[in-house]
Every structure is written in C-alpha cells, then in structure tokens.
Amino acid sequence: MPDLPDGSTGTDPFPQTALSAAELDAALTARLAEIPSWDDPDGPVRLGFAMTEPHRLALDAAQRFLARNPNNVGTHTRFGQGTTGTRRLEREAVLALGGLMRAAAVDGYLTSGANEGTLAGLRVGRNALRAAGCRRIVVLGLTLTHHSVGKAAEILGLEHRALTPGPDWVLGPALLEEAFDALEAEAGGPDGALEGVGAAGGSVGGAAVGSVGGAPVGVIVVSTAGYYNTGLVDPVDRISALLGRRTARPGGLRFFHHVDAAHGGMILPFTDPGVPFDFRNRYVHSMVLDPHKSGLMPYSCGVFLCRKGLLGHGAVQAPMSGFVDETVTGSRSGAMAAALWSLVFGLAADGYVRLFRDCLRVRDELAAAVLRADPDAIVLPSPGNTVLVVGFSFDDGRLPAGLREKYRLVGNRLPCTGPDGRTTDRLFHHFYAMPHITPAHIGQFEEHLAGAAERARTGGTPALPEAPHAEPGTDPSPGPGTVPSALKALRGSSACLRHLVVHPPGRRDPDDHPHAYSFHTFQNRAELGEQFLTRRWGTSAATGGELLVYAPDLDRPFENELFGVVSPDAFSLEVLDRHQQKLSLVGAAHFSLFEGTGPGSPLPVVLVNFHADGRFRSAEFKYGDRWYTDEIQVFRDTIVVKVGKDARSIRRSGDDYSFSLDTSLELRVTLVDGDAPPHAVRWSEHCDPALPRRRHLLRGQYSRFPNRFFDVIAELTVGRDFRGTVPAEELLRDAAQGSPPLARSAELDLVRVLPGFAAGRLVTALTSVADGREAELSVGLGFGADLATTLTGPPLGSPEQLTPETVVDWAEHLYPLVRTLREPAAPTEPTSDTPAREGARRRVPSTATRPSTSAQAPDAAVWPEAAVWPDIDPGADPNPDPSAGAGTDPNSGAAPTPDTAKWPHAELASGTAARPEPGPDPDPDVDSGADLGPNSGTGARPDASADPDSGVRSDADTGTRAGARSGRGGGVA
C-alpha cells in the first residue's frame, strides 16, 4: 500500500500466489501486536470513549456461529417470522430489548451501530412525513447531538437545524417550542391554510395547515438519552407531551420523534429505571441502542427499534433475492445476533445491574481522583450514567496532548454559568467509567493529571511525550370458466374467502392436520368444479324482494363450507359446515343486514353472529364504507369500540391466502357483575396514529398467518349496573399524558377519542383534529344481555341435519328483529334504566334538529327453543339459550314484526363519507367477531383487482392512514 507524495494511496497488485501458513501467521501476529490489549500496562487507557472489553459469552457465541456464516437479512420481529436459527435469536434479543425500552410492541433489527440506526430512524421518519403530505422536512437537534444525525440528514437530503443549548446542556421543551413557532411562522402559520389541504394533502394530523403550496412542514425531533460528551438525558417525557399537544391542534407542523439512546439506553434501565426516555412516552417513534458501547458486545452491534407499523416506511422490494428489505445494510451476520442473545439472556437484568452499579462506583472514584489532582476543577457526574464531565482549572481547561492521547480524551466547549452569573463557553472533557477500568488505571491517571496541573502552574516540561493533536398484495382471482352473474353479485355482497377457494375433497377436516389437512392446500373453486351455485327460492315475505339460496352443492347444501340465503340489497345469512365451525372464531352462523347502506345513507351494516347451539354471540354495527369502518361490537359480557378498522384478504401466491386486519384504536370493555365504576386495565400504544403508515404489509411480507395491528388498545372493566358519570379526562388521566388519545376514524380521519360513561352507557366521542366535525358512538351496558335473550336460532352443531327451509325461515325471522336495532322509532315513555338497556347509537351533529333516540333490543320476539326442531341433533353445542321463549312458527311463511311503537331505536345522522356497497361484511377479527380460520376472508372482495405492490385492493386505502381516501400513498423509499 504505497503512500504517494501527493498524499494519495496507490493500489497493490492482487497477489498471484498465496503466502505460506507461517507468513500469514507472522503478518497477522504483527498486526495484532499493534492493537493494545485491555490489560496492557503501557497501552492507552480508553477513559474518553464509550467502549469496553467484550464479554466472553458474546465472543464464544459469535465464534460458535461464524463458521456457518448465517445471514440475517431482512427483519424478524413480526408474527410468524424469526422462528429458527440466528433469526430466532435476533428476534428474541430485539423483542427483549424492546421490552426493556418499555414498548408494548416494536419492530426492529440489529445494525452495525447507532450511526446506521440513526439513518434508519430518520429515513423512516422522512418517509412517514412525506406520506403525510410534507414537502419540507426539518431535522431538529442540539449542537451537542451526535454527528450521525447531521450525517443522516445529509444522506437523506433533509434540512438540519442544530439548536444551541443553554447551560443545562439538554434539549428542552422551551427550546423546541421556539423552534416550532419559527418554522410555523416561516410556513405561513395555521391562519394561512389552503382550503382542503387536511384531506387531499394527507397530513399526519388531518388538520388544515399553512405553508408554501399548502403542505405541512415535517419536523423530525432527535432527542438524546446519554449525550456522548455529557452523559445527560433530554427530558424526553416533556418533549413527548409537547409533541402531543402540538399534534392534536390545527397547525402547520407534523412530527416524528427519534431518540438516540446509543449510550444511555443500555445503562439507565439498570441504574435509574425511573428516567422516562423510552417508549413509555406516546410520542417516541423510534430509538437506537448500541450494545457494543455499554452492552459488552464486540463491534459492530447496534439495535434499531421503532413502533409497530412504521418499519414499512423503509421497505423496498428485493425481487432478485425474493424478500422485502426494510434495513439499511441488507445482509447482516447472524453471529452477532447469537452474541447479543447470549448477553441478553446470559447476563439478564441482574447481571447488568451488578455491572453498572460497579461502573457508577468507578465513576465516583474517578471524580475523587480528579479533585485530588485538581481541586479547583468542575466535576459533574452524569445522573444515573457512567459519564463524568470535567472542566480543568488550569490552562483554560486544556490537557497536554500526550495526556489526551494516552487516555483517549476529547474536549468540547459547552456553555457554563460562573459564580458571577455570566454564561460563557468553557472547555470540558468527558470520561467513561466502563467495566474495563481498574483502580490501577485511575491511580495512574491521577498521577499524570497531578503532574500536568503542577507543570501548568510552574511552567515545567511535560512528563509524557507530546503526541500529534487529534481533532476531536391481492392478485385478481384466477380461474377458468364463466362466473354466473348471480355469483358475481353474491361476491359483491360477501367478502368471505370461502366463496373463492376451498380445500380439495378428503382434505377439509382440521382434525386431520397435519396428516391430510394443511393451511397450504387451497384450490380455486372453479378449477375443482365446486363453484357456488345459486337458486331462486322465491319472494321474501319479509322484504317483498327476490330471495336466493347458494352453496357449492345444493343437493348437499350443508356439507361443503357453507349454505347461504340472500335477499339482494337487504340481508344474508350463512351457516357454516362442521369443518368450518371448527375453524371459525366468530361462531357458526352470520346474519348481515345491509339494506339501505348505499352512498349517503346514515345506516350501518349490522352483522349478528351465533354460536353452534343457536345462542347469540355478538352484534356489530359498522359505520363507514365496506372495508374501512368505525364499529360498535356488542357481546353479552363485552363491548368493543373500534375506530378505523380495515380488513383485507391477501393473496400471497397461487391459492395461498393470508389475512390482514388493521385497527387504529380498539376499546375493549369487560362487563362485570355489580355496579363497580370503570377501571382502566390496559392502555397500550403501538404506533402514533397521527403518523401515516401502511395499514397492510407488502405482499411479500405476509406469512401464512393473520396479520393484525392496532395503533392503540385500551381495556376497561365496569359493572353492568354502573349508572354514574365518568368523563374521559378522569378515565384516561394516566394514559393521556397531557394530550387526548388520537385515532384514525374511517369517516373523520384523525380524531381525538374521548371515551366515558354516563347514565349506564359507554359513550365514545370522536372529534376531527382537522375541522372539528364530531361523532359519538354509544351503547347501553345492558344491551348485550338483552340481545342474548332476544336473538336466538336453531342448534347448528350438526348442520347436515338442517334443511334449507329452516335457514330461510330463520333469515326471514331475523330480518325485522335486526332491522329494529338501527332504525328510529316512535318516542316512548322512558324509565330510569332506559339508557342502559338501549343499544348502539351514533350521533353526528347536523344543521337539522334530530330527536335524541337510541337502539334497543326488540321485545321478546325470540326464536323457538330446540324442542320446536324435531329430529335435529344439536351437535357440538346443544344448549340453546334457556331464556329463549316460544315464538312464531318458523314454517308459517311470515316472520313476526316487533312492536316498533314500544321501543326507541338508533338515531343515525347523515355523515360525509362514502357508504358501503350493498352487501354483508363478514369482516373477520380474532378479538371481536371475526373469522380468521384458514378458509375465511377478511374484507376485500376476493375477485377485486389488486395493487401488485401492496397486496391489497387498489381501489381502497392500500397505503397509509392519513388524509382522504384519494391521497394515501405508501411513502416507501
């Protein structure tokens, strides 16, 4: 490697013949000798760098796996991924570190270090903000922020503003508030908003904003947990609260918050776990750790973590390799994952606590040594961290070059307030008390420092030689043959995958798994000759319209997946066969009412599910369009409110399907006996709803498992007899952290969500952040119990013993009962318990005055008990609801009509969003009434066209949550 006179370096010829073993060994031995060992008494002592001797556990694990050269390319933290080998070790280590960082759920991967992790975080932030409609994106940090932030901003083409810290040396809310105001003023301020920007522009907050061209300004805030040169930690909790307040109000800024925890992240949880620098703060979106600094890992090992849903903003297809890459580096050594795993589980919290307590003791011993050598020095131990900051009293704080080189010390000028109250810049050096530092090292440094101080005062010669100064998707449905128009219409009214694919004959019983049954044996119905057949049944006695029945085999209607009856533009009822009942997570039969739910209608689709013994399971009230809804789901003992639910069937390849369900906010309320007041059990934020993200993965990212995601999950308990008033401010005092919860509503986009209780009802208020539009979803706490006694059916556990007539009569019977659950009715004389017995209600303020009404279960018009059905084996679930009384003979040809004058029903004022197409919405969902069995579908019509990149419908919202339906892009780099 010749160094040329002009300062460049030439190349060497590539060797033609190999060195002998002895020559190789000699050369490597010589180079190794040039690197000081950790116990070399004459070598440098790394007092000024955050590095230490790797732990033997990590070295042994890395060596053990290196020879097999495992490649951990890709990411492995999603469900069904990272199941074997070093990818499993990486998944377990990363998720454990996510738990250490107080995250309920994260994605992430091992990096080469915090430089790469910071680049990854800013890249995700940039793409998320771009997807929000931000044309200008500014990175804000301190002049003390690690240089990797500026480097990442330069790589990503982002504007970088380094703010000057005050004497506290941290990034505080006041400093940020001033910077935010300046950026908003530059952009024209919120008063300069262009009309319609919040919707069409796809802003994170959905607010009308003012800026050049009407686009919001994106701000990536980089805070630090353990500054490299001070060890101090920014008030991340206060920064998060500030971002929450700014996000929840109309304004010209949208935010992404990245935390550089490269040094403090592996220390603070074990020395001072009360420091709130991590994902316990709602508005922390991503974070980097550096296990090769303080985690005892060899180089290179960093960890990038981000909230769920954000990693997709860095996703790119890798068709030549057959995967989706969301990392910066691509291929990564699995040996490093094995090494990190060995420390996470081999040392664990107990080991790290002991380790860093000893480091704090070393830090304090070093501070005492400095003061003995230089009594006038300013010595500042970093709280909870292993960093010591020292301003020496001699020579303007400078150290001799030889001393700096020996101990690898770097100085930085920082603002310092003197005894006279004046603030000036002063030179400080930082020290790291790492595990390899011994008392001998401290004693040696004390001796050398004392000598330097004495020589500075007397003008003597240095004892150490001077060293040179070193500047510090879904495919279109295949299949031959012509699909009958009636079947196409049927597919338009149902999203169930059972209408499209089926397991081959003889391989349909899940009890045969894995011998015969498999999750990968779907075949197209047309190819098997098992397309659904439809037959006109006659005229509906309930609707007066046409009535159709359908099944793959109308001669054996209950032995191939399902039998259904549909009254077009009104209702449908589907009963599953034995095999599908084993797989279904939402019961054995599903009645869907979609009458009058076209564009502009205020009415919801109502889906009612039944257990195998005919008992009521759940009722779902769906507001929005067919695939993207706000919902109230009512069970006997549970109420679930879903804000912004999106369900899709995803065709991975061939006939291999997966499912994707995405909900912005899910509020789960468990009803307990008595009148206990509401109690918050869980508040878990996986992602910031104000930041746009893909609601569904790219097709190549899907495993053969359901993909489910929530921005926010809240769980409460309340007594079913509770009649008090609890406002949202009281209910969510601990979870809100100074700003209201946010979610992406299907109809109002970004909303403030305020759940509360009043007069025996759960009331969830939604208010648009963008324009103040409001909606209210409410339901009585006793509604589910009433439905359980009102909506019943025949036993279904042995469906092959049913007859089409039974199912048709049951559908005709259910139609008027379910219809009353959502329609206004004549006023009634209220009672003290009326609100608690009333059902699902959605109220939207409008210019017209509308009566305050609500839905309630119809009066005891129930399905006859099992005794009415002779010769039917109840099967797996033979216990019909004991409270069900006798009703109208189902074979009479007419269903009973409830006394609508007696019961008030739901007021559903008109909204502005497009309404569902006519048709039921099976909308599978594990927790709240959805079918995620291997043959079930999840929302999108199986024969719809698809976006080949996203694996979901191209005519729906396939990208992010933000903005109007026409303005959501994937935002992928």
Side-chain angles (χ1 to χ4, degrees):
M1 296 179 293
D3 291 328
L4 303 181
D6 62 3
S8 63
T9 301
T11 61
D12 283 342
F14 190 85
Q16 186 66 41
T17 58
L19 296 176
S20 67
E23 291 170 326
L24 284 172
D25 182 74
L28 294 175
T29 299
R31 302 293 81 76
L32 182 61
E34 295 166 355
I35 301 173
S37 65
W38 292 100
D39 56 358
D40 183 355
D42 299 321
V45 180
R46 302 169 180 89
L47 283 179
F49 279 84
M51 61 183 299
T52 193
E53 182 178 7
H55 198 282
R56 177 51 55 185
L57 283 173
L59 296 175
D60 289 345
Q63 184 63 38
R64 187 174 183 180
F65 283 82
L66 272 173
R68 301 200 180 185
N69 200 28
N71 186 356
N72 276 25
V73 65
T75 55
H76 316 294
T77 52
R78 292 194 179 92
F79 182 70
Q81 298 177 338
T83 58
T84 60
T86 55
R87 298 183 180 189
R88 175 171 177 170
L89 297 179
E90 177 171 335
R91 171 191 172 93
E92 292 176 357
V94 169
L95 293 182
L97 289 171
L100 184 66
M101 296 299 109
R102 305 291 189 95
V106 292
D107 283 320
Y109 61 96
L110 268 61
T111 69
S112 59
N115 272 252
E116 179 191 341
T118 295
L119 177 61
L122 266 61
R123 178 170 175 251
V124 167
R126 179 198 66 178
N127 292 352
L129 292 169
R130 281 182 176 175
C134 299
R135 301 177 189 173
R136 179 189 179 196
I137 299 174
V138 181
V139 179
L140 291 181
L142 285 183
T143 55
L144 302 181
T145 301
H146 196 270
H147 76 278
S148 60
V149 173
K151 180 170 66 174
E154 183 271 326
I155 292 171
L156 298 169
L158 302 176
E159 181 180 348
H160 180 215
R161 292 190 179 184
L163 309 178
T164 302
D168 58 358
W169 301 348
V170 295
L171 182 64
L175 198 60
L176 281 173
E177 191 94 67
E178 181 179 354
F180 294 164
D181 290 342
L183 286 171
E184 204 161 59
E186 294 169 13
D191 293 335
L194 298 183
E195 184 177 355
V197 169
S203 70
V204 175
V209 296
S211 64
V212 177
V217 174
V219 181
I220 300 176
V221 175
V222 180
S223 59
T224 301
Y227 280 94
Y228 199 92
N229 46 4
T230 67
L232 298 178
V233 180
D234 288 332
V236 177
D237 54 339
R238 293 164 56 204
I239 293 173
S240 173
L242 170 63
L243 299 184
R245 292 192 298 272
R246 300 286 296 222
T247 300
R249 76 180 195 188
L253 305 180
R254 297 294 172 262
F255 302 98
F256 185 95
H257 188 189
H258 176 78
V259 177
D260 176 8
H263 179 58
M266 292 296 293
I267 297 176
L268 294 168
F270 307 113
T271 60
D272 192 355
V275 177
F277 71 94
D278 45 30
F279 287 111
R280 78 189 78 178
N281 299 290
R282 292 173 59 196
Y283 286 89
V284 168
H285 300 114
S286 66
M287 180 182 294
V288 290
L289 307 174
D290 251 358
H292 65 212
K293 282 188 172 67
S294 304
L296 305 185
M297 276 290 292
Y299 286 103
S300 292
C301 181
V303 177
F304 172 69
L305 301 171
C306 67
R307 291 194 184 272
K308 284 284 186 180
L310 291 177
L311 198 57
H313 283 293
V316 295
Q317 294 280 3
M320 68 293 297
S321 301
F323 71 101
V324 175
D325 190 8
E326 294 168 308
T327 70
V328 172
T329 52
S331 296
R332 298 176 294 113
S333 171
M336 282 294 102
L340 180 61
W341 184 93
S342 72
L343 293 180
V344 169
F345 292 91
L347 287 181
D350 290 343
Y352 278 115
V353 167
R354 289 191 298 269
L355 175 78
F356 290 119
R357 282 180 179 173
D358 188 65
C359 287
L360 293 182
R361 178 187 57 78
V362 170
R363 180 201 66 186
D364 294 340
E365 291 177 0
L366 181 59
V370 168
L371 288 173
R372 286 193 296 268
D374 182 11
D376 297 324
I378 298 175
V379 178
L380 303 171
S382 177
N385 211 335
T386 61
V387 179
L388 183 71
V389 181
V390 179
F392 297 105
S393 66
F394 56 88
D395 200 13
D396 194 27
R398 291 189 296 268
L399 293 175
L403 195 64
R404 295 197 307 268
E405 179 65 20
K406 169 70 176 178
Y407 294 100
R408 299 293 195 263
L409 298 174
V410 177
N412 297 97
R413 290 198 170 272
L414 303 171
C416 180
T417 301
D420 59 356
R422 291 191 305 162
T423 299
T424 59
D425 285 346
R426 176 167 180 162
L427 185 64
F428 287 87
H429 289 78
H430 53 269
F431 295 77
Y432 284 89
M434 303 300 282
H436 68 277
I437 302 299
T438 66
H441 291 142
I442 295 174
Q444 184 186 53
F445 176 72
E446 180 181 349
E447 178 183 349
H448 289 157
L449 178 62
E454 179 63 20
R455 284 185 296 274
R457 285 190 291 267
T458 63
T461 58
L464 290 171
E466 283 289 335
H469 177 68
E471 288 294 337
T474 303
D475 288 341
S477 172
T482 302
V483 179
S485 59
L487 181 58
K488 289 183 178 180
L490 181 61
R491 288 182 179 176
S493 65
S494 175
C496 185
L497 274 179
R498 297 183 182 93
H499 291 197
L500 178 64
V501 295
V502 65
H503 287 86
R507 305 188 68 178
R508 294 174 179 170
D509 187 352
D511 291 342
D512 288 340
H513 177 78
H515 172 67
Y517 182 89
S518 168
F519 293 139
H520 297 274
T521 57
F522 290 128
Q523 291 189 29
N524 187 274
R525 283 192 174 278
E527 294 172 351
L528 284 177
E530 294 190 10
Q531 279 281 27
F532 272 88
L533 304 175
T534 61
R535 178 178 301 164
R536 188 179 185 279
W537 186 265
T539 300
S540 169
T543 69
E546 186 179 36
L547 205 59
L548 304 172
V549 295
Y550 55 93
D553 185 348
L554 288 173
D555 294 329
R556 297 181 304 151
F558 299 96
E559 298 182 30
N560 191 334
E561 307 258 329
L562 63 84
F563 170 83
V565 55
V566 59
S567 177
D569 301 328
F571 67 83
S572 72
L573 173 64
E574 294 185 350
V575 176
L576 305 184
D577 73 358
R578 270 183 189 267
H579 299 327
Q580 292 305 309
Q581 289 187 28
K582 296 174 184 177
L583 297 168
S584 174
L585 299 178
V586 295
H590 320 290
F591 180 88
S592 184
L593 178 68
F594 43 86
E595 181 181 34
T597 58
S601 169
L603 298 176
V605 170
V606 180
L607 178 66
V608 182
N609 303 298
F610 294 88
H611 289 295
D613 60 4
R615 289 180 299 119
F616 165 81
R617 181 188 182 276
S618 61
E620 306 176 16
F621 297 80
K622 302 170 180 289
Y623 303 94
D625 65 26
R626 279 183 41 78
W627 299 279
Y628 191 27
T629 57
D630 297 332
E631 300 183 7
I632 303 174
Q633 300 185 344
V634 183
F635 301 76
R636 183 186 183 97
D637 299 314
T638 308
I639 298 171
V640 180
V641 175
K642 290 176 173 284
V643 180
K645 176 181 173 183
D646 192 322
R648 299 281 187 249
S649 56
I650 307 297
R651 186 177 181 195
R652 299 171 66 213
S653 61
D655 290 316
D656 191 5
Y657 284 80
S658 188
F659 319 106
S660 180
L661 300 112
D662 186 284
T663 304
S664 184
L665 183 144
E666 180 161 303
L667 175 64
R668 305 167 184 170
V669 179
T670 300
L671 303 174
V672 298
D673 292 336
D675 60 356
H679 171 67
V681 176
R682 175 189 179 197
W683 181 273
S684 181
E685 295 214 14
H686 298 170
C687 190
D688 178 4
L691 287 173
R693 59 175 177 81
R694 284 187 177 275
R695 289 211 300 273
H696 303 280
L697 303 176
L698 299 178
R699 186 172 59 192
Q701 295 174 285
Y702 280 95
S703 301
R704 186 62 193 88
F705 306 101
N707 175 71
R708 304 186 70 242
F709 184 84
F710 301 93
D711 287 332
V712 180
I713 299 174
E715 295 181 358
L716 310 172
T717 62
V718 66
R720 63 181 79 249
D721 298 324
F722 178 73
R723 297 295 180 266
T725 298
V726 178
E729 293 77 7
E730 179 179 342
L731 190 64
L732 303 178
R733 181 183 294 114
D734 295 333
Q737 297 185 359
S739 59
L742 301 179
R744 288 283 171 185
S745 163
E747 297 196 288
L748 301 179
D749 200 36
L750 186 67
V751 294
R752 295 184 287 272
V753 183
L754 297 175
F757 292 86
R761 299 182 65 79
L762 167 66
V763 182
T764 304
L766 309 179
T767 304
S768 169
V769 171
D771 54 25
R773 287 182 299 153
E774 296 178 344
E776 181 184 273
L777 302 173
S778 68
V779 63
L781 301 183
F783 187 47
D786 284 352
L787 292 180
T789 61
T790 302
L791 299 177
T792 60
L796 308 168
S798 297
E800 63 276 4
Q801 298 187 33
L802 295 171
T803 65
E805 288 81 4
T806 299
V807 177
V808 170
D809 289 343
W810 186 28
E812 294 269 82
H813 173 83
L814 288 174
Y815 164 74
L817 302 183
V818 176
R819 194 166 183 258
T820 61
L821 302 182
R822 66 174 195 179
E823 295 178 350
T828 71
E829 188 67 29
T831 67
S832 61
D833 200 40
T834 296
R837 316 303 293 184
E838 290 174 350
R841 174 198 297 169
R842 173 179 172 275
R843 301 178 63 188
V844 180
S846 63
T847 55
T849 301
R850 305 178 66 100
S852 177
T853 56
S854 63
Q856 184 163 323
D859 193 8
V862 298
W863 195 246
E865 294 193 38
V868 179
W869 301 92
D871 303 323
I872 294 182
D873 178 6
D877 194 355
N879 301 312
D881 190 329
S883 63
T888 303
D889 183 353
N891 296 318
S892 65
T897 301
D899 183 359
T900 56
K902 180 176 181 180
W903 298 97
H905 300 101
E907 174 200 2
L908 298 168
S910 61
T912 58
R915 294 293 174 177
E917 301 173 15
D921 186 359
D923 201 16
D925 192 317
V926 169
D927 290 329
S928 51
D931 190 350
L932 283 179
N935 291 349
S936 65
T938 60
R941 288 180 296 181
D943 57 345
S945 61
D947 177 354
D949 292 327
S950 67
V952 296
R953 288 182 50 86
S954 59
D955 61 345
D957 179 2
T958 63
T960 62
R961 283 194 174 280
R965 299 187 62 80
S966 61
R968 297 176 182 134
V972 189

